[in-house]
Amino acid sequence: MILKRFYETRLAQASYLVACAATGEAIVIDPNRGFDTYLEAAEEEGVRIVAVTETHIHADFLSGSRELAKLTGATLYLSDEGDAEWKYGFGENVRLVHDGDAFMIGNLKFEVVHTPGHTPEHIAFLVTDTPAGETVQSAFTGDFVFVGDVGRPDLLERAAGYEGTMEAGARRLFRSLEKFKSLPDGLLIWPAHGAGSACGKALGGVPVSTLGYEKRVNWALRIEDEQVFVNEVLAGQPEPPRYFAQMKVRNKVGPALRSDRPAPSHLGAHRLTELVEQGAIVVDARPSAEFAAGHVPGTLSIPLGKGFTNWAGWFVPYDTPFYLIAMGEAEAHEATNALAMIGLDEVAGWFAPTAVRAWAEETGRPLRVVTQIDCHDLMAEADRVQVIDVRGQTEWDDGRLPFAQHRFLGTLGKNLDDLDRERPVVVQCHSGGRSAVGCSLLLNAGFRDVRNLAGGITAYREAGYPVTGP
Amino acid sequence: MILKRFYETRLAQASYLVACAATGEAIVIDPNRGFDTYLEAAEEEGVRIVAVTETHIHADFLSGSRELAKLTGATLYLSDEGDAEWKYGFGENVRLVHDGDAFMIGNLKFEVVHTPGHTPEHIAFLVTDTPAGETVQSAFTGDFVFVGDVGRPDLLERAAGYEGTMEAGARRLFRSLEKFKSLPDGLLIWPAHGAGSACGKALGGVPVSTLGYEKRVNWALRIEDEQVFVNEVLAGQPEPPRYFAQMKVRNKVGPALRSDRPAPSHLGAHRLTELVEQGAIVVDARPSAEFAAGHVPGTLSIPLGKGFTNWAGWFVPYDTPFYLIAMGEAEAHEATNALAMIGLDEVAGWFAPTAVRAWAEETGRPLRVVTQIDCHDLMAEADRVQVIDVRGQTEWDDGRLPFAQHRFLGTLGKNLDDLDRERPVVVQCHSGGRSAVGCSLLLNAGFRDVRNLAGGITAYREAGYPVTGP
Amino acid sequence: MILKRFYETRLAQASYLVACAATGEAIVIDPNRGFDTYLEAAEEEGVRIVAVTETHIHADFLSGSRELAKLTGATLYLSDEGDAEWKYGFGENVRLVHDGDAFMIGNLKFEVVHTPGHTPEHIAFLVTDTPAGETVQSAFTGDFVFVGDVGRPDLLERAAGYEGTMEAGARRLFRSLEKFKSLPDGLLIWPAHGAGSACGKALGGVPVSTLGYEKRVNWALRIEDEQVFVNEVLAGQPEPPRYFAQMKVRNKVGPALRSDRPAPSHLGAHRLTELVEQGAIVVDARPSAEFAAGHVPGTLSIPLGKGFTNWAGWFVPYDTPFYLIAMGEAEAHEATNALAMIGLDEVAGWFAPTAVRAWAEETGRPLRVVTQIDCHDLMAEADRVQVIDVRGQTEWDDGRLPFAQHRFLGTLGKNLDDLDRERPVVVQCHSGGRSAVGCSLLLNAGFRDVRNLAGGITAYREAGYPVTGP
Amino acid sequence: MILKRFYETRLAQASYLVACAATGEAIVIDPNRGFDTYLEAAEEEGVRIVAVTETHIHADFLSGSRELAKLTGATLYLSDEGDAEWKYGFGENVRLVHDGDAFMIGNLKFEVVHTPGHTPEHIAFLVTDTPAGETVQSAFTGDFVFVGDVGRPDLLERAAGYEGTMEAGARRLFRSLEKFKSLPDGLLIWPAHGAGSACGKALGGVPVSTLGYEKRVNWALRIEDEQVFVNEVLAGQPEPPRYFAQMKVRNKVGPALRSDRPAPSHLGAHRLTELVEQGAIVVDARPSAEFAAGHVPGTLSIPLGKGFTNWAGWFVPYDTPFYLIAMGEAEAHEATNALAMIGLDEVAGWFAPTAVRAWAEETGRPLRVVTQIDCHDLMAEADRVQVIDVRGQTEWDDGRLPFAQHRFLGTLGKNLDDLDRERPVVVQCHSGGRSAVGCSLLLNAGFRDVRNLAGGITAYREAGYPVTGP
């Protein structure tokens, strides 16, 4: 048995290639749209992808199952559980599976277990390496059981608009867990997400766990009372990114094929001026520091870091072409791929950084800068400025600047009316990255004196200043 | 004045970016479809591409002028010389130019000179750096004057089917040259091709020359009698690659835009079996040695080397989708770009080398190998085998194996009827590269005992065996 | 808790970075000499390497512990178990540890367990994520327990010359296992090797396992009788590569620092001729197919694939400078790094492939080729040729060509005397890779008619020919 | 004849590979230490480097001649002109040449012409492609004649301390030019430098010229009176970078071999704190914007851009180990190579950007930021601040901010005493790059309120503010 795990950091998402070493047949579980990863892994291991599957209709990224099956000629195994609302709407070379079904990939037996809760059609796979006996070796649990957490049952209601489903989902999840706990302690658990995913609230940083360990340590598996579990699992969940609303329906009817789309063109520097004038959406993917040192007013700062896909999902509209500014060709491609993960395919072209300077030349206007302020200077002005903390609710609850206000970055743009436009605004986050994006939003909204707290609450804390919190 | 030369080795083709250092305005001359090269050079130099031009309707590659102008918003300067047959058929943001016209790029004056011969509408540009005075500094001569040669006037007749035009062209060329010779000796000559191009017969390996030097050394400029010139210039020209026939018309009506096409997908290894069975065209772009060590029967060997574009132009049909086998993703992209240079855009997908092995596994058939023979072993069997020399006519004329037959690689596939299929065939070229392609053609044509002369005539010569020739 | 696993394919070797998410402190376990991997992972995760450790004195690669500790300023945790023979001989910033010791990395508790058997000083680490309670989460087992196997106790005797130690080791190992089995079923097991390592005989392709699963499935943990275990564990172990003999002593006294050595220079093509004449050792790291298509007689073919490090360890001497032929700069660096993993640091320079051709030009001698033979042609000549199977003993036992002889590649060079030099030799392996190396050895030993079975026993089997075996 | 030009942007330095196409023999002229460039070019062209030469003992970069000859086994052709002071001090495989000597590289004739002026031993090469007749085709002029300029004769006195040599040099140069002018107009001129080099004052941006053109346009060739020439050529020369003083002597006695030095190690982030405390020299090679957004006080900003080598030559001492902060491994290698060009080989290790953040964490001190100011805000405060223009003399002369002071960046650190430390300082250059370096120098010198003029005089000019100047 060969097992390879792929981790897409920007989505905190795990997918797997599992192969029978004896026959060279392989299955891919929960693929995203980064196809080459799976094809290359199969080539490296000398195995052939004959099956593709997914644990459920994902809400947080565009599924690559359909296209990977097409590129490889593999059979697509899809859940036929859940009611009519949850049936997949695409169907070439598909085999529908139900609770209790089993299929072989070479000598590996895959048993299907229906595990509703996160979503109604959710399934998990129990894998047995049959030449080694009858002991189940691994469970691929998707968004059912994570390391240290479980898949949230409120997402459909909170992100996809399925009113009144979250309590029922929580109860179904409790029952799915009860059943799951009866499996052996030594079972490996391979979930579909890691730390940082918005599909749960307390995911750990270890890629794998065991049922024995989770039963002792995972808060969700330790609760034995259904109502206590329901209350707990619905509390304190992070705000789902705006783009989640788009994913379910696309993944259900069949995600668009990436291979149908041309790569975005490199555009000549001075076309930027004309596009900005026409009000085109331009995402400046350069590092925060470059944006801070000089950018074109009206452009949106989403630096090509770990959070790129997520913030793009909050701020970039679907179905409107938009443009990128990237440090170079490699970065433009990386950004395009990162956007494709959530179906933001409408990149109409990209500009190199010289385009920013060219805009200034052509318009005769200075580039706009984002001013940094350090924590000492902030303290000196603390009563004069408004400090906006743009972190998530949990981070805010865990400790904050005494004089800060909390406005989450994802919804900041719609939450500015009561700010005093005459007073300076200092934007703050954990270490200065998200607050730079926040500065860009405020500047584009017409605020004039906006500063970024260099190093965020981390530098502030390290310098010994007081923090309010638990 | 800033001048950058770009040399596309596979086409032996030169293009230029010329910019005014004072104003930052730039023009690109004779761009191919590798747009990023020009955009990146402009960004590196801090200049802006405001104009794009070409010296003539190219016959040997797909012009990038139209698309580069579109990506940059630049004005397109096109020749309006030549008769109705030679008018460009596309027209956004175009300025037509005639003999004697001049235009400015910043402080640089570009004078248009009509230089018919290679083609009727051909123009050259004389550039003067006006702040430095009135002395013409450079001539961009396109396919008019090369280093050591001139652009052949027979291509239209021989490659594009314009019957009866070559002698008239030769005479026009003679007169264009006579006029050109009156310019100062110190004039720099920047042509559109270097050594190896099929647009001439004796191009040198130096990127630039001067009028003074060419007048003394270039055979074409030294001939003073028109008829002698006509006879000479029409003699000994290399056979034009088959794809040349496609270029003229495409370049005239407006070459397809590359940015409209998706990149070819990486396909799962075992789809190859099915495609080969269906008779799909599969170009195996791996190195000759890999192909020789084992390949799928029926696939075509065109190694991704210097000759890749050229041989693809001979063997790959236009308008039929085809597939690539490449060593990896980088090579697949390189091959796709190399094919795009001549408009072979129909790459439907690519396979990694594991697909070759997978074919053998699935079909249970052994991979086909190409056997090498070295020159000593060849000599031992010389009277038993048929030796096919697949080099060009000029190379053949310059020296050959005494017992070889000449059949040029480009037309080899249509020239096999009189070969004895019962006797071994040894294919030979300069150093073993083209002959490997030739072996693949013979094997696909059903010959069974085909061997490649390792090291070609070079190794044979170095080993001290006799060569027939001048 | 953050856990990252690094897998060095050529050594089948795993190392780990484990960090406390709360404090940002990290430890690296069993690092090899690929330092940048660990430094980059730490940077990516935003953690700081404060500790470096290893489970034992490795026999199969050069340890990177000492140098990584130096580059990062980290504390080195080393085992103080085992007798005087097994004490580490280097000592800057070292903390010696014993069975029962515990130390903290941030909030993570590391308990040291002495697990002799593979080596006397071997230790494992039990890790508890203390904020999550008292349950042990992971065991880092080094070469003690693998997925599906245990660390062989015979290596010291068979590879490093410690006479008479293997049975005692086997008994110690049995007792270490007995103790280990008492830990909870849900314990994760992270070993130091994966499939293909010569440190065991049956390692699985899954990166991690659990104690519960291994107790049911791992042959070694299922045996309950000590003597049965001893007999079993000493039987059928693969032949240890020759270089293993070098590793113990180097790792004990302190492995040389890589950062003290310059990178090998790219040498001009025609220096190869002179070096070959002087009898220099030249490793041709090009792909097999390139070597087969033409190579310099006397050079050694070790293609830069998965087996590169291992075969270099068999064939390349320590302490004699040698040269590489590589496809390009990237490959030369990759090869140098792969060799550094086992301390083969004496790369004196590298040549690009043109050097091979240049040798032929300068000497006037033809390049030597390796002829392929396919399985059909082999069958036609089966009674005339000698077939040498160069695979490992286990592979041979599992099935072989009826008319083949077994001579393992690693010792082939010393095992040629009784071969008939007048008859053709066909070399065969699993799929044609190792046999190409074997051909090179035979050709260098003076055999003249040597052929490589294309596709090895795999192609032979797929074509339906009979195999002898169990 | 094959001719390839190599241009090292950071040195504005050109070198050449010239080969005989018929025999495959090649010479390299004026190589720098980027050996691989030449080796790869030779391999690509299929030629062999049999000779290496240089036009003179360079003052602006470390010569690669000696090492390239060693790596290739080539003969080194060195000038034996000039007096005892100017004799090369190294001698393996060297052939000394004099005015009037000629040697063949294949069929190419190289004639040596002594052209003193820039330096006493300076030679140029006249190349004739003998199969094409007796006409001289190219002159490789080194630092004798540039495109649009001539090599300055004052460098020895101004940079290397040879008192009283510059007027004599100017006279010698005049005579060398007079002789040179008698060659044919159509001669190609290939110089050793392009625009931006400090070896002249008016070098053009075109890579090549002709004698005919230079005679009409180059100011130096147009002057017919010796005294007028002497006055002119000694006036307005740019200040030679500090490191020039080091180059002559090293190049004369034999530059150190790069291949003897290990590559700098990647160091763990938190070693930076300790090194900074110990006063180590740390060059922060990240982009200006990153440095501005947060850096460790005491580190030196030299962004890895076009000016990197030059500014390092001004600020980094020879023979003291120093450290780099680079964006990643590729940038660390690029920086190391760029420094090696001028012999700054003592890079003791490099840090990734996380080390900057780690410093702040460990020390609890905030990172220092460089504040940007835009031209509008500057105008509002113009009478309150001190504006320091750090550009070169010529740029200053060509136009400046009316209220600026001129202090050239290279010597800024020694030129600060009369600045008012109580008033804000705004540093300004052409477009904001060099001024960022200037800010770093001032901050390290203890100035507290230092700001960088965003976009420099360019943005200021574009915004329509008045400039003082000619």
Side-chain angles (χ1 to χ4, degrees), chain C residues 85-103:
Chain C
E85 191 76 56
W86 296 97
K87 298 302 178 192
Y88 284 94
F90 52 96
E92 231 177 315
N93 207 6
V94 166
R95 186 169 145 193
L96 295 174
V97 293
H98 303 85
D99 185 66
D101 284 357
F103 56 88

Side-chain angles (χ1 to χ4, degrees), chain B residues 18 31 41 75 113 162 183 221 223 254 261 270 283 288 295 324 327 348 363 368 372 383 388 402 426 432 444 446 462:
Chain B
V18 184
T75 302
V113 188
Y162 290 85
L183 290 163
L221 275 72
I223 297 177
R261 300 197 64 94
H270 81 137
V283 174
S288 290
H295 63 271
L324 292 175
M327 292 304 280
T363 60
R368 200 168 66 189
Q372 307 278 322
D383 45 1
I388 310 292
V426 172
N444 286 344
E462 282 160 3

